[in-house]
Amino acid sequence: MTTTRLTRYDRSMLRLMNDRRCQAWYATAARRRLAVAAHITLTVAIGALMTHFFLAEGEPLWPVAAMAVLLLPWMVATGIINGATRGLLELREHVLDERQSAERSRVLARAHRMTTLLLAATAVALLITGGVDGNAPKAYAAPLLIAVLVVHWVMPLWVAGLRAEDEPADDEMLEAGASRRA
Amino acid sequence: MSEQVHNRLAMVRAERKVSRQSLAEAVGAHYQTIGYIERGQYNPSLDLALKISKFFDLPVEALFSLEPFRPLTDKVYGRNQP
């Protein structure tokens, strides 16, 4: 970390991502998995609403309102995962230390492999539906493309959230001692 | 590539009453990284290992080793290993 001088933005992001006030929300693997599951569910729900909005006749407004409502918990879930990973994907490279940089590379590599598989599966599904119903690829290509793009964008966050590990055991005694000395 | 590097970091850090946070700040690492090194879940680079050794003013082999460390009491009181 910190061989390059940190900007004010870097320092504020570093503080934000290492804020321990909400630590209880992602303290255990089960809670982190729950946050990732909630994030995936909300992403799928928002995507489905967006697809409905574009494909439905007359472009009804209720899906837009529902999306706006779901965006808030989606942002909270994003914040929980970012907190669990200590901003692994949000902080700039020179803010991370060597372990975090290596972990970010591993996360991005794994997410890349998964989205490659997803893209391949989507292409195969489109080809098969095209074989059955000639118009299907044309109708579903745009929403599917957007869905895959969104998944490609958030997959690293999901992978990072699932790979995050528990905090090392407390250092409270030493920290209390240090604050007493200060 | 997954050679286990043994270390005495937790013991030395406790002995010197240095918190993870202050050690991490001194060597330019994240406090979690110090914890992962102590738990043997992460092997530091040579650069980081040397910085940690310098911080404690100890030779690097006093803190890190490819062989498991003998308990310090055995060393001090001369008990032979079984």
Side-chain angles (χ1 to χ4, degrees):
Chain A
M1 183 154 73
T2 64
T3 46
T4 318
R5 218 164 152 253
L6 298 185
T7 63
R8 206 160 60 176
Y9 168 80
D10 290 332
R11 279 195 298 272
S12 72
M13 284 296 282
L14 193 60
R15 259 198 312 275
L16 182 68
M17 293 295 159
N18 285 283
D19 192 326
R20 299 194 212 177
R21 273 177 296 183
C22 297
Q23 203 172 340
W25 292 27
Y26 46 78
T28 62
R31 287 181 202 173
R32 291 190 294 273
R33 279 197 293 268
L34 187 68
V36 173
H39 198 270
I40 292 172
T41 309
L42 288 164
T43 305
V44 170
I46 292 170
L49 286 166
M50 203 181 283
T51 308
H52 180 78
F53 175 72
F54 284 116
L55 294 182
E57 301 261 327
E59 297 190 346
L61 278 180
W62 71 264
V64 180
M67 270 191 284
V69 171
L70 289 182
L71 262 178
L72 189 68
W74 185 87
M75 284 189 280
V76 172
T78 305
I80 292 171
I81 300 173
N82 276 329
T85 64
R86 298 289 187 274
L88 192 74
L89 300 163
E90 293 299 319
L91 296 173
R92 294 201 283 195
E93 183 72 34
H94 64 265
V95 180
L96 304 177
D97 73 7
E98 57 176 48
R99 177 191 61 84
Q100 291 172 310
S101 287
E103 179 63 10
R104 170 140 91 179
S105 301
R106 273 194 290 274
V107 163
L108 292 177
R110 184 167 290 188
H112 176 76
R113 278 199 296 275
M114 289 171 82
T115 45
T116 303
L117 288 174
L118 186 71
L119 268 171
T122 308
V124 169
L126 265 181
L127 287 173
I128 291 171
T129 45
V132 177
D133 174 4
N135 289 326
K138 215 185 276 179
Y140 294 114
L144 265 178
L145 192 67
I146 293 169
V148 172
L149 185 71
V150 169
V151 171
H152 173 73
W153 173 50
V154 288
M155 183 68 85
L157 190 69
W158 297 339
V159 173
L162 292 174
R163 282 180 60 91
E165 292 188 48
D166 290 353
E167 278 285 288
D170 273 353
D171 215 11
E172 278 165 2
M173 208 176 67
L174 284 173
E175 271 157 16
S179 58
R180 266 201 305 276
R181 278 196 303 276
Chain B
M1 286 295 282
S2 59
E3 182 81 54
Q4 168 80 49
V5 176
H6 303 270
N7 72 80
R8 269 190 183 134
L9 188 53
M11 193 200 71
V12 172
R13 197 172 57 74
E15 192 184 270
R16 304 274 181 104
K17 296 186 171 53
V18 176
S19 71
R20 271 192 206 113
Q21 186 72 51
S22 47
L23 173 60
E25 280 167 20
V27 298
H30 193 272
Y31 72 90
Q32 281 189 323
T33 302
I34 304 297
Y36 290 140
I37 294 171
E38 289 176 355
R39 289 201 297 204
Q41 287 177 310
Y42 176 69
N43 292 340
S45 69
L46 181 58
D47 178 60
L48 182 55
L50 288 170
K51 279 181 186 165
I52 294 171
S53 314
K54 192 177 172 191
F55 176 84
F56 288 114
D57 200 17
L58 288 169
V60 74
E61 63 270 24
L63 286 172
F64 299 98
S65 167
L66 290 174
E67 303 298 325
F69 283 102
R70 274 178 67 196
L72 218 57
T73 46
D74 288 1
K75 270 194 158 181
V76 171
Y77 296 105
R79 201 185 78 170
N80 289 328
Q81 276 186 309

